Amino acid sequence: QVQLKESGGGLVQAGGSLRLSCAASGRTFSSYAMNWFRQAPAKEREFVVGIRWSDGVIYYAGSVKGRFTISRDNAKNTVYLQMNSLKPEDTAVYYCAAGGVAGAYTDYWGQGTQVTVSS
């Protein structure tokens, strides 16, 4: 059974940092990009950042470049999202997903983790 399990969300003040984790299991993900999406209340889900599992190439959405960093640990089958200089507009449910580069398509979704940034 394929599972993507996010963790690390929470409440943080503006300017603070959080690190999200996505533990992947149930199949080999080497042919996928591992992507982070987010969905704020009353807004559509949007692509944030992704990393191609095979070679580590990274794709960023413009709004987070320079503040968010994605990385992977092949041994642990885990992808991380380091979020720095958080802003209230970063408040959303963050989803891990396995699919195409830059979120072109998604085959698997995690359940999501809430990130709330207070002003």
Side-chain angles (χ1 to χ4, degrees):
Q1 181 184 359
V2 174
Q3 237 184 347
L4 301 178
K5 186 168 177 58
E6 303 98 332
S7 60
L11 173 64
V12 64
Q13 288 189 331
S17 298
L18 278 176
R19 189 176 83 153
L20 306 183
S21 300
C22 172
S25 62
R27 63 158 293 156
T28 301
F29 291 91
S30 57
S31 63
Y32 283 105
M34 301 300 292
N35 301 309
W36 287 96
F37 289 77
R38 67 185 180 186
Q39 188 166 20
K43 292 191 175 180
E44 291 190 357
R45 193 172 298 189
E46 64 173 355
F47 169 79
V48 177
V49 61
I51 185 167
R52 201 157 58 191
W53 199 279
S54 59
D55 58 10
V57 174
I58 294 172
Y59 301 83
Y60 283 100
S63 60
V64 305
K65 197 168 186 178
R67 299 189 299 122
F68 290 11
T69 304
I70 190 170
S71 61
R72 75 196 193 291
D73 184 329
N74 289 346
K76 295 182 178 180
N77 242 25
T78 299
V79 175
Y80 303 99
L81 179 62
Q82 178 67 43
M83 305 185 293
N84 299 327
S85 302
L86 282 161
K87 306 175 181 180
E89 52 263 42
D90 294 318
T91 295
V93 177
Y94 283 72
Y95 297 90
C96 176
V101 164
Y105 67 90
T106 298
D107 282 349
Y108 304 104
W109 290 99
Q111 84 285 355
T113 186
Q114 176 70 47
V115 171
T116 303
V117 184
S118 63
S119 57

